[in-house]
Amino acid sequence: MKGVPIRILLVYPEFLYTFWSFKHALKFIKKKAAAPPLGLLTVAAMLPSVWEKRLVDLNVTSLTDEDLKWADYVFVSAMVVQRESAHLVIRRCKCAGVKVVAGGPLFTMEHEQFPDVDYFVLNEAEATLVPFLRDLEQGQAGRVYASTEFPDIHQTPVPLWRLANLKQYDTVSIQFSRGCPFNCDFCNVTALLGYRPRTKIAAQIIAELDSLYALGWRKSILFVDDNFIDNKKHIKSKVLPALIEWRKGKTGLAFNTEVSSNLADDPVLLRLMVESGFDTVFVGNETPNEESLAECGKNQNKGRNLVESVKQLQHAGLQVQGGFIVVFDNDPPSVFQQQIDFIQKSGIVTAMVGLLQAPLGTHLYERMQQEGRLVNEFSGDNVNGSTNIIPKMGLDQLREGYRKILSQIYAPKFYYERVLTFLREYKPPKIRVHLEPQYILALGRSIYQLGIRGVERVQYWRLFFWTLFRRPRLFSLAITLAILGFHFRQAIELHVN
Ligand code: B12
């Protein structure tokens, strides 16, 4: 492209030691980060193929002066939890005289907070990148490119995985759909991505999987959809059969995604998901309190026995991770104990319990604004005990209750009890395991760190031998969960003490 620089440095800022960073657990398998930045790798694939591209994910490597000297433009993407690191990256670019192009959820939500960014390419790149590149080529790029369009994703290219050093990651994310038809008032996904779920076609997903497979990827794959089962007809008739076919003869590559609790109502869909290689799903349970479900518009969870739904998924072969929220206006003081009982009974080992927060663009944000109940900045990390709203329940009572939930459910006694509840229920799917030497080393490290040095050593050995003798097929899963428990405890320690 004449006159336009062509060396693009894609930079992904650093995550803090959050609940979902998995940083304390990743050390056991000597990995640096959970997953490579899918947004940036997708954008990279949309840039002209003749442009040179490099990725610097600050979660796995550092940004050097040479990198900045090399680059004509730095493309930065971030979530709200990467805010501080994003500011630092942008300042370094400014000092080095490199122009910055910023996109992704953090900037889409609050681009005004970043005066040093040269160009904002906001919302979905499928809608905003082409006009930006056209203007850039003509030497007349504006500062902000935004769109209210929710573009078709049939043309979205296969992400440029080769830019990432995949050896540094434990999982890789891919995306099948965007948007969500539900109306939960605290969630900003519909503001970001709309109500009408837009899906890729089966052939696109297969092409993405093929490209990962060709790069030697054999570990787990996270489908980052907000609700994978939105378009049930399409996935039952086209996508899952294609995945089942694709998987034949392959080892490893377990799939993980997010679904709504009504998956439990559709045994055919459930069977197909397990057959196609899903072994874990995240479900937004939120609360066992019916009035609170009604308050936040989470109608898909109303009138159902949520614990029973979780058990159905576990029996079918899915590990269920869950999201839980306190405190809605309708939550009684007993909600904290109710949540603990709910989580323990369900055997949801990875339980993300957050304080209710109101992200910009949500119905909840509007309501809180009207009621004069907005305070603080939205931290984005919903497991750090902070909130940007004034709850109806007194703050002291709330903090104490929240502290009680987290300190109990992640205390070794409760955590390991939950692991056992889950393993007793769980019928593992038939994914052929892909053994890596790192897993054996991780076992050794877990024996030392958790079984010898850890406060959880009694529970660790009980789980170790119980699984070895009663459910040997679940042994590696049991050790993984023990390691995750160690991470969760470290990650939440700051917020409960
Ligand atoms: C997958 C995911 C995760 C994974 C991340 C794995 C990984 N490293 O990839 C996990 C589960 C770890 C995670 C965790 C969290 N997440 Co998250 N996550 C998502 C999810 C579901 C998908 C993100 C994704 O990969 N999308 C697919 C790619 C292709 O889309 P994209 O990144 O948006 O990129 C597109 C555009 O934004 C744009 N773009 C992106 N970057 C750039 C850069 C440039 C230069 C340009 C031009 C364009 C551009 O182009 C792309 C193509 O259109 C989104 C919700 C969603 N549906 O987007 C939430 C989301 C990103 N997460 C969010 C949050 C808040 C979190 C947590 C903080 C939650 C928590 N409990 O604490 C944690 C923190 C993470 C951490 N490590 O500490 C928020 C971010 C809000 C915000 N404004 O920043 C979102 C939007 C969910 C929400 N409802 O609000 N998350």
Short mmCIF file of all heavy atoms in Angstrom, two decimals, residues 12-64:
data_model
loop_
_atom_site.label_atom_id
_atom_site.label_comp_id
_atom_site.label_asym_id
_atom_site.label_seq_id
_atom_site.Cartn_x
_atom_site.Cartn_y
_atom_site.Cartn_z
N TYR A 12 -1.03 -7.06 23.41
CA TYR A 12 -2.10 -7.43 24.34
C TYR A 12 -1.62 -7.14 25.76
O TYR A 12 -0.66 -7.78 26.24
CB TYR A 12 -2.43 -8.92 24.18
CG TYR A 12 -3.79 -9.30 24.70
CD1 TYR A 12 -4.92 -8.55 24.38
CD2 TYR A 12 -3.97 -10.41 25.52
CE1 TYR A 12 -6.18 -8.90 24.84
CE2 TYR A 12 -5.23 -10.77 25.98
CZ TYR A 12 -6.32 -10.02 25.63
OH TYR A 12 -7.58 -10.36 26.09
N PRO A 13 -2.23 -6.17 26.46
CA PRO A 13 -1.76 -5.79 27.79
C PRO A 13 -1.91 -6.92 28.82
O PRO A 13 -2.59 -7.91 28.59
CB PRO A 13 -2.67 -4.61 28.16
CG PRO A 13 -3.20 -4.12 26.86
CD PRO A 13 -3.32 -5.32 25.99
N GLU A 14 -1.29 -6.66 29.95
CA GLU A 14 -1.19 -7.71 30.97
C GLU A 14 -2.45 -7.79 31.84
O GLU A 14 -3.07 -6.78 32.17
CB GLU A 14 0.01 -7.40 31.88
CG GLU A 14 0.44 -8.60 32.66
CD GLU A 14 1.67 -8.31 33.52
OE1 GLU A 14 2.22 -7.20 33.42
OE2 GLU A 14 2.05 -9.20 34.28
N PHE A 15 -2.79 -9.02 32.19
CA PHE A 15 -3.88 -9.25 33.15
C PHE A 15 -3.31 -9.21 34.56
O PHE A 15 -2.15 -9.57 34.77
CB PHE A 15 -4.46 -10.66 32.99
CG PHE A 15 -5.30 -10.83 31.77
CD1 PHE A 15 -4.93 -11.72 30.78
CD2 PHE A 15 -6.48 -10.13 31.62
CE1 PHE A 15 -5.71 -11.90 29.65
CE2 PHE A 15 -7.27 -10.30 30.51
CZ PHE A 15 -6.88 -11.19 29.52
N LEU A 16 -4.14 -8.85 35.50
CA LEU A 16 -3.73 -8.95 36.89
C LEU A 16 -3.93 -10.41 37.33
O LEU A 16 -4.41 -11.23 36.57
CB LEU A 16 -4.60 -8.03 37.75
CG LEU A 16 -4.61 -6.57 37.30
CD1 LEU A 16 -5.64 -5.79 38.08
CD2 LEU A 16 -3.23 -5.98 37.47
N TYR A 17 -3.58 -10.67 38.58
CA TYR A 17 -3.79 -12.02 39.13
C TYR A 17 -5.26 -12.20 39.49
O TYR A 17 -5.62 -12.25 40.64
CB TYR A 17 -2.91 -12.22 40.36
CG TYR A 17 -1.53 -12.72 40.00
CD1 TYR A 17 -0.60 -11.86 39.42
CD2 TYR A 17 -1.16 -14.04 40.21
CE1 TYR A 17 0.66 -12.31 39.07
CE2 TYR A 17 0.09 -14.50 39.86
CZ TYR A 17 1.00 -13.63 39.29
OH TYR A 17 2.25 -14.09 38.93
N THR A 18 -6.13 -12.22 38.47
CA THR A 18 -7.56 -12.34 38.74
C THR A 18 -7.98 -13.80 38.80
O THR A 18 -7.23 -14.70 38.41
CB THR A 18 -8.37 -11.66 37.63
OG1 THR A 18 -7.96 -12.24 36.39
CG2 THR A 18 -8.14 -10.16 37.59
N PHE A 19 -9.23 -13.98 39.20
CA PHE A 19 -9.85 -15.31 39.25
C PHE A 19 -9.65 -16.07 37.93
O PHE A 19 -9.26 -17.23 37.91
CB PHE A 19 -11.34 -15.10 39.53
CG PHE A 19 -12.13 -16.35 39.77
CD1 PHE A 19 -12.21 -16.90 41.03
CD2 PHE A 19 -12.84 -16.95 38.74
CE1 PHE A 19 -12.97 -18.03 41.27
CE2 PHE A 19 -13.60 -18.07 38.96
CZ PHE A 19 -13.67 -18.62 40.22
N TRP A 20 -9.97 -15.38 36.81
CA TRP A 20 -9.93 -16.05 35.51
C TRP A 20 -8.57 -16.01 34.84
O TRP A 20 -8.42 -16.47 33.71
CB TRP A 20 -10.97 -15.46 34.56
CG TRP A 20 -12.38 -15.80 34.92
CD1 TRP A 20 -13.33 -14.93 35.35
CD2 TRP A 20 -13.01 -17.09 34.88
NE1 TRP A 20 -14.50 -15.59 35.58
CE2 TRP A 20 -14.35 -16.91 35.30
CE3 TRP A 20 -12.58 -18.38 34.54
CZ2 TRP A 20 -15.25 -17.96 35.39
CZ3 TRP A 20 -13.49 -19.43 34.62
CH2 TRP A 20 -14.80 -19.21 35.05
N SER A 21 -7.58 -15.40 35.49
CA SER A 21 -6.26 -15.36 34.85
C SER A 21 -5.59 -16.74 34.95
O SER A 21 -4.73 -17.08 34.15
CB SER A 21 -5.36 -14.32 35.52
OG SER A 21 -4.99 -14.78 36.82
N PHE A 22 -5.99 -17.54 35.94
CA PHE A 22 -5.45 -18.88 36.19
C PHE A 22 -3.94 -18.87 36.45
O PHE A 22 -3.28 -19.89 36.34
CB PHE A 22 -5.76 -19.85 35.04
CG PHE A 22 -7.22 -20.09 34.83
CD1 PHE A 22 -7.85 -19.69 33.67
CD2 PHE A 22 -7.98 -20.69 35.81
CE1 PHE A 22 -9.22 -19.89 33.48
CE2 PHE A 22 -9.34 -20.90 35.63
CZ PHE A 22 -9.96 -20.49 34.47
N LYS A 23 -3.41 -17.66 36.77
CA LYS A 23 -1.95 -17.53 36.82
C LYS A 23 -1.29 -18.48 37.82
O LYS A 23 -0.24 -19.04 37.53
CB LYS A 23 -1.57 -16.09 37.14
CG LYS A 23 -1.73 -15.17 35.94
CD LYS A 23 -1.04 -13.84 36.16
CE LYS A 23 -1.21 -12.95 34.93
NZ LYS A 23 -0.43 -11.73 35.00
N HIS A 24 -1.89 -18.66 38.99
CA HIS A 24 -1.26 -19.53 39.99
C HIS A 24 -1.30 -21.00 39.56
O HIS A 24 -0.46 -21.79 39.96
CB HIS A 24 -1.95 -19.38 41.36
CG HIS A 24 -1.91 -17.98 41.89
ND1 HIS A 24 -0.79 -17.43 42.44
CD2 HIS A 24 -2.85 -17.01 41.91
CE1 HIS A 24 -1.04 -16.19 42.81
NE2 HIS A 24 -2.29 -15.91 42.50
N ALA A 25 -2.31 -21.35 38.77
CA ALA A 25 -2.41 -22.74 38.32
C ALA A 25 -1.49 -23.00 37.13
O ALA A 25 -0.91 -24.08 36.99
CB ALA A 25 -3.86 -23.05 37.93
N LEU A 26 -1.35 -21.99 36.27
CA LEU A 26 -0.56 -22.18 35.05
C LEU A 26 0.91 -22.51 35.37
O LEU A 26 1.57 -23.20 34.59
CB LEU A 26 -0.64 -20.92 34.18
CG LEU A 26 -2.01 -20.70 33.51
CD1 LEU A 26 -2.12 -19.28 32.95
CD2 LEU A 26 -2.25 -21.73 32.42
N LYS A 27 1.35 -22.06 36.54
CA LYS A 27 2.75 -22.34 36.91
C LYS A 27 3.00 -23.84 37.02
O LYS A 27 4.10 -24.30 36.76
CB LYS A 27 3.08 -21.67 38.26
CG LYS A 27 3.19 -20.16 38.12
CD LYS A 27 3.45 -19.50 39.45
CE LYS A 27 3.36 -17.99 39.28
NZ LYS A 27 3.00 -17.29 40.49
N PHE A 28 1.99 -24.60 37.41
CA PHE A 28 2.15 -26.05 37.57
C PHE A 28 2.45 -26.72 36.23
O PHE A 28 3.09 -27.74 36.18
CB PHE A 28 0.89 -26.68 38.17
CG PHE A 28 0.72 -26.41 39.64
CD1 PHE A 28 0.25 -25.20 40.10
CD2 PHE A 28 1.05 -27.39 40.56
CE1 PHE A 28 0.09 -24.96 41.45
CE2 PHE A 28 0.90 -27.17 41.93
CZ PHE A 28 0.42 -25.94 42.37
N ILE A 29 1.89 -26.14 35.14
CA ILE A 29 2.14 -26.75 33.83
C ILE A 29 3.11 -25.91 33.00
O ILE A 29 3.23 -26.09 31.78
CB ILE A 29 0.81 -26.99 33.04
CG1 ILE A 29 -0.09 -25.74 33.12
CG2 ILE A 29 0.09 -28.23 33.53
CD1 ILE A 29 -1.28 -25.81 32.17
N LYS A 30 3.76 -24.96 33.71
CA LYS A 30 4.78 -24.11 33.06
C LYS A 30 4.23 -23.40 31.81
O LYS A 30 4.89 -23.34 30.78
CB LYS A 30 6.03 -24.95 32.69
CG LYS A 30 6.80 -25.43 33.90
CD LYS A 30 7.76 -24.34 34.40
CE LYS A 30 8.61 -24.79 35.58
NZ LYS A 30 8.25 -24.26 36.87
N LYS A 31 3.00 -22.92 31.94
CA LYS A 31 2.44 -22.10 30.87
C LYS A 31 2.36 -20.67 31.38
O LYS A 31 2.22 -20.43 32.59
CB LYS A 31 1.03 -22.57 30.48
CG LYS A 31 0.97 -23.98 29.97
CD LYS A 31 1.61 -24.13 28.62
CE LYS A 31 1.77 -25.59 28.26
NZ LYS A 31 2.73 -25.85 27.21
N LYS A 32 2.37 -19.73 30.44
CA LYS A 32 2.40 -18.33 30.87
C LYS A 32 1.01 -17.70 30.93
O LYS A 32 0.75 -16.81 31.72
CB LYS A 32 3.28 -17.53 29.91
CG LYS A 32 4.75 -17.92 29.93
CD LYS A 32 5.54 -16.87 30.70
CE LYS A 32 7.01 -17.19 30.83
NZ LYS A 32 7.80 -16.91 29.65
N ALA A 33 0.11 -18.12 30.03
CA ALA A 33 -1.22 -17.48 30.01
C ALA A 33 -2.26 -18.49 29.59
O ALA A 33 -1.93 -19.53 29.00
CB ALA A 33 -1.22 -16.30 29.04
N ALA A 34 -3.53 -18.17 29.90
CA ALA A 34 -4.59 -19.12 29.60
C ALA A 34 -4.79 -19.28 28.10
O ALA A 34 -4.79 -20.39 27.58
CB ALA A 34 -5.89 -18.68 30.27
N ALA A 35 -4.96 -18.16 27.38
CA ALA A 35 -5.26 -18.28 25.95
C ALA A 35 -4.72 -17.08 25.19
O ALA A 35 -4.65 -15.97 25.73
CB ALA A 35 -6.78 -18.35 25.74
N PRO A 36 -4.34 -17.29 23.93
CA PRO A 36 -3.87 -16.15 23.13
C PRO A 36 -5.02 -15.19 22.81
O PRO A 36 -6.19 -15.61 22.84
CB PRO A 36 -3.32 -16.80 21.86
CG PRO A 36 -3.89 -18.16 21.80
CD PRO A 36 -4.30 -18.56 23.18
N PRO A 37 -4.73 -13.93 22.52
CA PRO A 37 -5.80 -12.94 22.32
C PRO A 37 -6.53 -13.09 20.99
O PRO A 37 -6.02 -12.68 19.94
CB PRO A 37 -5.03 -11.61 22.37
CG PRO A 37 -3.62 -11.95 22.02
CD PRO A 37 -3.38 -13.35 22.43
N LEU A 38 -7.71 -13.66 21.08
CA LEU A 38 -8.45 -14.00 19.86
C LEU A 38 -8.83 -12.75 19.04
O LEU A 38 -8.77 -12.77 17.81
CB LEU A 38 -9.72 -14.79 20.24
CG LEU A 38 -10.61 -15.22 19.09
CD1 LEU A 38 -9.86 -16.11 18.11
CD2 LEU A 38 -11.83 -15.95 19.62
N GLY A 39 -9.24 -11.67 19.74
CA GLY A 39 -9.63 -10.45 19.02
C GLY A 39 -8.49 -9.95 18.15
O GLY A 39 -8.66 -9.69 16.95
N LEU A 40 -7.29 -9.84 18.72
CA LEU A 40 -6.15 -9.31 17.97
C LEU A 40 -5.76 -10.24 16.82
O LEU A 40 -5.42 -9.78 15.73
CB LEU A 40 -4.94 -9.14 18.89
CG LEU A 40 -4.84 -7.83 19.67
CD1 LEU A 40 -3.60 -7.82 20.54
CD2 LEU A 40 -4.83 -6.61 18.74
N LEU A 41 -5.81 -11.54 17.07
CA LEU A 41 -5.41 -12.49 16.01
C LEU A 41 -6.43 -12.48 14.88
O LEU A 41 -6.10 -12.72 13.72
CB LEU A 41 -5.24 -13.90 16.59
CG LEU A 41 -4.13 -14.04 17.63
CD1 LEU A 41 -4.04 -15.47 18.15
CD2 LEU A 41 -2.77 -13.62 17.05
N THR A 42 -7.69 -12.17 15.22
CA THR A 42 -8.73 -12.06 14.19
C THR A 42 -8.51 -10.80 13.37
O THR A 42 -8.57 -10.82 12.13
CB THR A 42 -10.13 -12.04 14.85
OG1 THR A 42 -10.25 -13.19 15.68
CG2 THR A 42 -11.24 -12.03 13.83
N VAL A 43 -8.21 -9.70 14.07
CA VAL A 43 -7.94 -8.44 13.37
C VAL A 43 -6.71 -8.60 12.47
O VAL A 43 -6.70 -8.15 11.32
CB VAL A 43 -7.73 -7.30 14.39
CG1 VAL A 43 -7.18 -6.05 13.72
CG2 VAL A 43 -9.04 -6.98 15.09
N ALA A 44 -5.69 -9.29 12.98
CA ALA A 44 -4.48 -9.50 12.19
C ALA A 44 -4.80 -10.18 10.86
O ALA A 44 -4.25 -9.84 9.82
CB ALA A 44 -3.48 -10.35 12.97
N ALA A 45 -5.75 -11.13 10.91
CA ALA A 45 -6.11 -11.85 9.68
C ALA A 45 -6.90 -10.97 8.72
O ALA A 45 -7.04 -11.30 7.54
CB ALA A 45 -6.92 -13.10 10.05
N MET A 46 -7.45 -9.88 9.22
CA MET A 46 -8.23 -8.98 8.35
C MET A 46 -7.35 -7.92 7.70
O MET A 46 -7.80 -7.19 6.83
CB MET A 46 -9.29 -8.25 9.19
CG MET A 46 -10.36 -9.14 9.72
SD MET A 46 -11.41 -8.11 10.77
CE MET A 46 -12.58 -9.31 11.29
N LEU A 47 -6.12 -7.79 8.15
CA LEU A 47 -5.23 -6.77 7.58
C LEU A 47 -4.66 -7.29 6.27
O LEU A 47 -4.59 -8.51 6.05
CB LEU A 47 -4.10 -6.47 8.57
CG LEU A 47 -4.53 -5.85 9.90
CD1 LEU A 47 -3.35 -5.74 10.86
CD2 LEU A 47 -5.17 -4.48 9.69
N PRO A 48 -4.23 -6.39 5.39
CA PRO A 48 -3.67 -6.85 4.12
C PRO A 48 -2.58 -7.89 4.35
O PRO A 48 -1.73 -7.71 5.24
CB PRO A 48 -3.10 -5.57 3.51
CG PRO A 48 -3.89 -4.46 4.13
CD PRO A 48 -4.25 -4.92 5.50
N SER A 49 -2.61 -8.95 3.53
CA SER A 49 -1.69 -10.06 3.80
C SER A 49 -0.24 -9.65 3.58
O SER A 49 0.67 -10.27 4.13
CB SER A 49 -2.05 -11.27 2.95
OG SER A 49 -2.05 -10.88 1.60
N VAL A 50 -0.01 -8.58 2.80
CA VAL A 50 1.39 -8.18 2.56
C VAL A 50 1.98 -7.39 3.73
O VAL A 50 3.17 -7.19 3.81
CB VAL A 50 1.51 -7.32 1.27
CG1 VAL A 50 1.26 -8.16 0.03
CG2 VAL A 50 0.60 -6.12 1.31
N TRP A 51 1.14 -6.96 4.64
CA TRP A 51 1.67 -6.24 5.81
C TRP A 51 2.39 -7.23 6.73
O TRP A 51 1.97 -8.38 6.88
CB TRP A 51 0.54 -5.57 6.59
CG TRP A 51 -0.07 -4.38 5.89
CD1 TRP A 51 0.09 -4.04 4.58
CD2 TRP A 51 -0.91 -3.39 6.47
NE1 TRP A 51 -0.62 -2.89 4.30
CE2 TRP A 51 -1.25 -2.47 5.44
CE3 TRP A 51 -1.44 -3.19 7.74
CZ2 TRP A 51 -2.07 -1.37 5.66
CZ3 TRP A 51 -2.26 -2.09 7.96
CH2 TRP A 51 -2.56 -1.19 6.93
N GLU A 52 3.44 -6.75 7.36
CA GLU A 52 4.14 -7.61 8.32
C GLU A 52 3.48 -7.46 9.68
O GLU A 52 3.12 -6.35 10.07
CB GLU A 52 5.59 -7.17 8.46
CG GLU A 52 6.46 -7.56 7.30
CD GLU A 52 7.88 -7.07 7.54
OE1 GLU A 52 8.49 -7.46 8.54
OE2 GLU A 52 8.34 -6.25 6.73
N LYS A 53 3.34 -8.58 10.39
CA LYS A 53 2.66 -8.52 11.69
C LYS A 53 3.45 -9.29 12.74
O LYS A 53 3.99 -10.36 12.44
CB LYS A 53 1.26 -9.15 11.60
CG LYS A 53 0.31 -8.42 10.69
CD LYS A 53 -0.48 -9.38 9.84
CE LYS A 53 -1.00 -8.69 8.61
NZ LYS A 53 -1.17 -9.61 7.48
N ARG A 54 3.45 -8.75 13.94
CA ARG A 54 4.03 -9.48 15.08
C ARG A 54 3.09 -9.30 16.26
O ARG A 54 2.45 -8.26 16.38
CB ARG A 54 5.38 -8.88 15.48
CG ARG A 54 6.49 -9.24 14.56
CD ARG A 54 7.79 -8.69 15.15
NE ARG A 54 8.86 -8.75 14.17
CZ ARG A 54 10.02 -8.12 14.31
NH1 ARG A 54 10.23 -7.38 15.40
NH2 ARG A 54 10.96 -8.21 13.40
N LEU A 55 3.09 -10.31 17.12
CA LEU A 55 2.26 -10.22 18.33
C LEU A 55 3.15 -10.14 19.56
O LEU A 55 4.09 -10.93 19.71
CB LEU A 55 1.37 -11.47 18.44
CG LEU A 55 0.57 -11.59 19.75
CD1 LEU A 55 -0.57 -10.58 19.81
CD2 LEU A 55 0.01 -13.00 19.92
N VAL A 56 2.83 -9.20 20.47
CA VAL A 56 3.46 -9.19 21.79
C VAL A 56 2.34 -9.29 22.81
O VAL A 56 1.61 -8.33 23.04
CB VAL A 56 4.30 -7.91 22.02
CG1 VAL A 56 4.75 -7.84 23.47
CG2 VAL A 56 5.51 -7.88 21.10
N ASP A 57 2.19 -10.48 23.38
CA ASP A 57 1.21 -10.66 24.45
C ASP A 57 1.97 -10.47 25.75
O ASP A 57 2.83 -11.30 26.09
CB ASP A 57 0.60 -12.06 24.34
CG ASP A 57 -0.38 -12.35 25.48
OD1 ASP A 57 -0.48 -11.51 26.41
OD2 ASP A 57 -1.03 -13.41 25.45
N LEU A 58 1.67 -9.39 26.45
CA LEU A 58 2.45 -9.09 27.66
C LEU A 58 2.25 -10.11 28.77
O LEU A 58 2.96 -10.08 29.77
CB LEU A 58 2.09 -7.69 28.17
CG LEU A 58 2.58 -6.55 27.29
CD1 LEU A 58 2.16 -5.21 27.85
CD2 LEU A 58 4.10 -6.59 27.17
N ASN A 59 1.32 -11.01 28.57
CA ASN A 59 1.12 -12.07 29.55
C ASN A 59 2.13 -13.19 29.36
O ASN A 59 2.27 -14.06 30.23
CB ASN A 59 -0.30 -12.61 29.47
CG ASN A 59 -1.29 -11.52 29.79
OD1 ASN A 59 -1.42 -11.13 30.92
ND2 ASN A 59 -1.96 -10.98 28.76
N VAL A 60 2.79 -13.19 28.21
CA VAL A 60 3.78 -14.25 28.00
C VAL A 60 5.18 -13.70 27.70
O VAL A 60 6.16 -14.43 27.78
CB VAL A 60 3.36 -15.24 26.87
CG1 VAL A 60 2.00 -15.81 27.11
CG2 VAL A 60 3.43 -14.64 25.50
N THR A 61 5.26 -12.45 27.34
CA THR A 61 6.57 -11.90 27.00
C THR A 61 6.56 -10.40 27.30
O THR A 61 5.55 -9.86 27.71
CB THR A 61 6.89 -12.17 25.50
OG1 THR A 61 8.21 -11.72 25.23
CG2 THR A 61 5.94 -11.45 24.56
N SER A 62 7.72 -9.74 27.07
CA SER A 62 7.70 -8.30 27.37
C SER A 62 7.83 -7.48 26.08
O SER A 62 8.24 -7.99 25.04
CB SER A 62 8.81 -7.97 28.36
OG SER A 62 10.01 -8.53 27.90
N LEU A 63 7.49 -6.23 26.21
CA LEU A 63 7.53 -5.32 25.06
C LEU A 63 8.88 -4.61 25.09
O LEU A 63 9.20 -3.91 26.05
CB LEU A 63 6.38 -4.31 25.20
CG LEU A 63 6.25 -3.23 24.14
CD1 LEU A 63 5.97 -3.82 22.77
CD2 LEU A 63 5.11 -2.26 24.51
N THR A 64 9.66 -4.81 24.04
CA THR A 64 11.01 -4.21 24.05
C THR A 64 11.04 -2.93 23.23
O THR A 64 10.16 -2.69 22.40
CB THR A 64 12.04 -5.19 23.46
OG1 THR A 64 11.71 -5.40 22.08
CG2 THR A 64 12.05 -6.51 24.19
#
